[in-house]
Amino acid sequence: MSEAPIRIALVGMGKIARDQHLPAIAGNPQLVLAATMSPHSPGVDGVAAFKSMEALLAAGDTFDAVALCSPPQVRYGLAAAALAAGKHVFLEKPPGATLSEVAVLKEKAEAAGVTLFASWHSRYAAGVEPARAWLADKRIDRAHIIWREDVRVWHPGQAWIWEAGGLGVFDPGINALSIVTRILPRRIMLEAATLSFPANREAPIAADLKLRDTDGAPVTFDLDWRQTGPQSWDIAVETNAGTLTLSQGGAVLEVDGHIHRDEDREYAGLYQQFEALIRAGVSDADVTPLELVSDVFLTGRRHTVETFED
């Protein structure tokens, strides 16, 4: 006998929710969109819409889980309320504004006996798991990551992203970190960082990072939100057996002259994992990429650059 679909309430109805979450939920027969919550959006036709988490939770036993797409600065309170009500919680990346609040959410989920899922959508790009498998037994000599995109294209008018806790260029940069921490066989640690802050913003627009893995192999990141024209989401890992490259954000893998390319199923993969975690009664709340971002803000040198207006 098949299990009943898991009823999802989608919280936060911005661009990422509409572009990625709604299609992924609709495409999974094990899930159903039961409600939306946003103080500003009218929601989705034919689906119950609420203006606050309080109103959503007061609706009773109409959903099983929430997917939180709200800005990270307000995500903790929403997640904590849902967990207290016995709901499973899917956290968009980054899983929180701070490491300490995610640690508390893990404790709350365990105490409530529900699933907490810290999602990293770039880890579900088509080339990531094949890259991880190929690198598993290789000596890593060095890795270089170029992650440059145009914030005006991908985050138009999203003021929260420039505020304290909004991460700035690390909103996309943490995607690169999530891939690298998944595919490299050893942990990486920060050595130095330079952060470029626009004079009128509280979050960086660019960053240069120098890290090493636990065997001493250098890993460097070039992150920039001012890229125009073609966008760059590229990872190159030099090994004793040749160079592996991931391009297009992890969608295309090239190694030994062979190219692996597949369709974009990042968010479909995320929701398959969320459903599997709920069925198994376990959580997955890895914060390794956020730990590295925290290290960058803790130790990086700050450099002021020209003002930025989007």
Side-chain angles (χ1 to χ4, degrees):
M1 182 176 180
S2 61
E3 297 181 271
I6 295 167
R7 301 167 297 171
I8 305 287
L10 191 55
V11 176
M13 293 298 295
K15 180 176 173 58
I16 195 69
R18 294 186 180 276
D19 289 353
Q20 300 292 348
H21 288 258
L22 288 177
I25 294 169
N28 189 325
Q30 297 301 314
L31 306 174
V32 62
L33 182 66
T36 67
M37 191 283 278
S38 171
H40 310 295
S41 170
V44 177
D45 289 345
V47 177
F50 300 88
K51 296 293 186 182
S52 68
M53 179 62 79
E54 291 79 11
L56 174 63
L57 293 174
D61 185 25
T62 58
F63 65 101
D64 308 301
V66 299
L68 296 180
C69 303
S70 54
Q73 296 98 319
V74 300
R75 199 170 294 153
Y76 171 80
L78 298 171
L83 293 171
K87 308 299 183 183
H88 308 289
V89 173
F90 175 125
L91 300 169
E92 244 295 354
K93 62 87 188 173
T98 68
L99 290 166
S100 57
E101 68 185 32
V102 180
V104 173
L105 291 177
K106 290 180 182 179
E107 295 172 356
K108 288 181 178 293
E110 184 176 0
V114 295
T115 292
L116 180 69
F117 180 37
S119 71
W120 301 104
H121 67 82
S122 290
R123 287 182 172 177
Y124 291 79
V128 171
E129 286 307 307
R132 173 182 168 88
W134 190 84
L135 291 169
D137 61 352
K138 305 299 187 295
R139 185 193 71 230
I140 308 301
D141 292 330
R142 62 185 52 81
H144 183 56
I145 297 87
I146 300 175
W147 217 260
R148 294 181 160 215
E149 62 181 49
D150 187 348
V151 63
R152 292 184 175 98
V153 172
W154 300 101
H155 297 280
Q158 295 182 18
W160 63 267
I161 225 159
W162 295 109
E163 297 170 357
L167 296 190
V169 74
F170 285 96
D171 181 80
I174 205 169
N175 294 334
L177 286 163
S178 74
I179 294 175
V180 172
T181 54
R182 178 65 182 169
I183 66 174
L184 291 184
R186 286 171 288 280
R187 287 182 66 96
I188 55 175
M189 300 170 289
L190 183 70
E191 289 192 327
T194 300
L195 305 172
S196 297
F197 281 75
N200 60 332
R201 301 292 186 176
E202 295 179 320
I205 198 168
D208 291 303
L209 314 182
K210 294 181 179 180
L211 305 94
R212 289 190 181 274
D213 74 7
T214 55
D215 276 1
V219 180
T220 55
F221 286 76
D222 172 2
L223 311 176
D224 205 311
W225 238 357
R226 298 166 294 192
Q227 180 93 329
T228 57
Q231 310 286 277
S232 302
W233 301 295
D234 303 311
I235 296 170
V237 185
E238 297 178 28
T239 79
N240 61 313
T243 298
L244 174 148
T245 62
L246 282 169
S247 58
Q248 298 181 28
V252 179
L253 167 67
E254 183 173 357
V255 61
D256 290 335
H258 300 287
I259 297 176
H260 175 88
R261 181 186 286 109
D262 205 345
E263 63 179 316
D264 176 12
R265 291 184 52 80
E266 291 183 9
Y267 277 84
L270 284 179
Y271 274 97
Q272 288 171 1
Q273 175 71 353
F274 189 40
E275 186 254 334
L277 291 170
I278 291 172
R279 303 290 192 201
V282 296
S283 291
D284 177 3
D286 176 36
V287 293
T288 306
L290 187 58
E291 288 176 347
L292 290 169
V293 173
S294 178
D295 288 348
V296 169
F297 279 96
L298 182 66
T299 65
R301 294 180 179 274
R302 176 172 177 150
H303 173 60
T304 301
V305 297
E306 64 275 7
T307 60
F308 178 82
E309 302 293 345
D310 58 11

